[in-house]
Each structure stands twice: as structure tokens, then as C-alpha cells.
């Protein structure tokens, strides 16, 4: 767990989500929970959900935000495409459909800011994607942190 508080301000992590139109909310939420577990985080660590603006009316994205009790932010394709150099899983197919090379990873990185890193790269289900970004000091659960001792 990254933060131990369940109350107070939202956590430092951004949950990026993408999905096909009409994806069931339970599929998106289950994938988001899987990403959160992979990050070694809990609900309190999520600051907000982020996605592509063309999904502004997608019920599953809003259901995930409600599930985590956070707000949702939407970014245009140009903003997500600006994150392309930092994506771990860029996709030409996604670009052809959306105008950006990655929705979940791009939204997570755009929302978390220029100094952020991907903590969980794109995870996929049948109809959805999820990724988590946060401050660089929040190491992925799969990578051990290196302790640097000043002399």
C-alpha cells in the first residue's frame, strides 16, 4: 500500500482507463482493481480516473470513478498523444481509431504530470484497458526500490 490513510486528500496515483463503447461497468472496475493490486496500492491511493474525452459519456468510466469515490478527468487526443514517447505499449491501431497511441497509459501519464512514471503499464480485458501512473518515488510493486545512502 502506498498510503495508509483512507481519509483525507486523494492519493497521488492516476488510474487511466479506456474502453469500447458499451463495455459493462463490472469489466472496467475488475480491470481497474487488478491494476491497483498490481501497483500494491488501494482505493485511497487513487487521486482520480482519467480517460480520452470521446469517452466522456461512457457509463463504465463514470462507474469506475464512483467505485473508487474519485472524480474523472478527460483529455483530448492531442494531450494523450503528447505522452507517446513515455508509453510502454504504443499502438498504431489505437492511433487509427483515436488519434493517440495509447488511451489508458496516456491518460494516466497526462493526469499524473510530467514528472510521473507508469507504475502499471497497460492491462487489457476483452473490451477495456487500464494503467496507473504516479510520482517517480512510487515504485512498481514488481521492481525493488534502490536505497541510496548519502555519505
Amino acid at each position: 500500500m502506498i498510503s495508509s490513510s483512507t481519509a483525507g486528500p486523494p492519493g497521488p496515483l492516476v488510474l487511466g482507463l479506456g474502453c469500447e463503447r458499451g463495455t459493462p461497468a463490472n469489466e472496467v472496475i475488475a480491470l481497474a482493481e487488478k491494476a491497483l493490486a498490481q501497483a500494491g496500492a488501494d482505493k485511497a491511493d487513487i487521486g482520480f480516473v482519467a480517460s480520452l474525452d470521446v469517452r466522456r459519456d461512457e457509463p463504465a468510466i463514470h462507474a469506475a470513478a464512483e467505485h473508487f469515490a474519485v472524480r474523472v478527468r478527460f483529455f483530448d487526443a492531442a494531450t494523450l498523444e503528447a505522452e507517446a514517447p513515455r508509453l510502454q505499449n504504443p499502438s498504431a491501431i489505437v492511433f487509427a481509431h483515436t488519434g493517440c497511441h495509447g488511451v489508458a497509459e496516456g491518460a494516466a501519464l497526462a493526469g499524473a504530470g510530467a514528472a510521473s512514471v507508469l507504475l502499471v503499464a497497460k492491462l487489457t480485458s476483452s473490451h477495456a484497458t487500464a494503467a496507473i501512473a504516479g510520482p517517480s518515488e512510487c515504485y512498481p510493486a514488481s521492481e525493488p526500490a534502490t536505497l541510496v545512502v548519502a555519505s
Side-chain angles (χ1 to χ4, degrees), residues 24-49:
N26 62 344
E27 180 180 337
V28 174
I29 291 167
L31 187 62
E33 288 283 1
K34 181 178 177 181
L36 201 59
Q38 191 169 321
D42 66 24
K43 283 181 158 185
D45 296 319
I46 299 296
F48 61 91
V49 167

Side-chain angles (χ1 to χ4, degrees), residues 116-140:
S116 67
V117 296
L118 277 174
L119 301 174
V120 177
K122 178 174 73 174
L123 300 178
T124 61
S125 65
S126 296
H127 307 286
T129 58
I132 295 178
S136 60
E137 61 268 12
C138 296
Y139 296 99

